Amino acid sequence: MADLVYVLNGPNLNLLGTREPDIYGADTLDDIAGMLEDRARELGLEVEVRQSNHEGHLVDWLHEAQAEGARAVLLNAAAFTHTSVALLDAIKAIRTPVIEVHLSNPHKREAFRHKSYVGMAAHGTIAGFGAQSYVLALEAAARLA
């Protein structure tokens, strides 16, 4: 489905809304999914929102996105952003564009968060706008050829 956008979320993002709201905001992952579904309808897209605390699931879902012919993947790999060569390799292995998404701005945080393996292969990165980062990334995905 060329009009499908996968939205993949990594570890601890299931705790959004209660986890460090001063950094990540008060929106839950369900709130974000609802915002994305509404905006996707306006853009003529569909979204498939998933979350896992397991790196291998994210790798499998990246492969699946390509197999299903998805238009793009929005990926908030959370902590795996800074550690996962497996995600880097998976992004490089598929043709589906991946847009890296972060609620906070990693460059305003601890030094170890400044390196992004995901960003090394992503089509682009949107960070620092809270839940709106996802909406901005979806709008960018809608404009991809």
Side-chain angles (χ1 to χ4, degrees):
M1 289 186 186
D3 294 319
L4 178 63
V5 175
Y6 278 58
V7 182
L8 305 181
N9 296 279
N12 301 308
L13 293 174
N14 55 305
L15 300 177
L16 287 178
T18 60
R19 176 188 176 213
E20 299 179 274
D22 54 316
I23 295 173
Y24 301 109
D27 292 308
T28 67
L29 196 54
D30 285 342
D31 294 336
I32 292 169
M35 289 190 308
L36 288 172
E37 289 164 1
D38 291 345
R39 185 65 180 125
R41 265 192 301 282
E42 295 169 0
L43 294 168
L45 300 172
E46 292 180 44
V47 291
E48 175 70 30
V49 181
R50 299 179 183 176
Q51 186 277 330
S52 180
N53 293 320
H54 304 282
E55 183 179 34
H57 291 162
L58 297 170
V59 170
D60 290 342
W61 293 338
L62 286 163
H63 297 173
E64 179 185 315
Q66 176 171 283
E68 292 295 321
R71 170 184 289 270
V73 174
L74 311 185
L75 175 59
N76 183 345
F80 292 142
T81 299
H82 318 292
T83 63
S84 181
V85 175
L87 286 175
L88 168 65
D89 288 347
I91 295 165
K92 290 170 61 175
I94 63 173
R95 293 178 306 282
T96 307
V98 174
I99 300 172
E100 179 183 25
V101 178
H102 296 287
L103 294 160
S104 67
N105 180 350
H107 295 287
K108 292 177 79 174
R109 298 185 61 199
E110 303 94 338
F112 72 86
R113 296 185 195 274
H114 298 178
K115 182 171 187 172
S116 171
Y117 286 97
V118 169
M120 291 177 186
H123 187 80
T125 300
I126 299 177
F129 297 98
Q132 281 300 309
S133 292
Y134 285 88
V135 176
L136 293 167
L138 183 64
E139 291 170 352
R143 290 171 176 77
L144 295 173

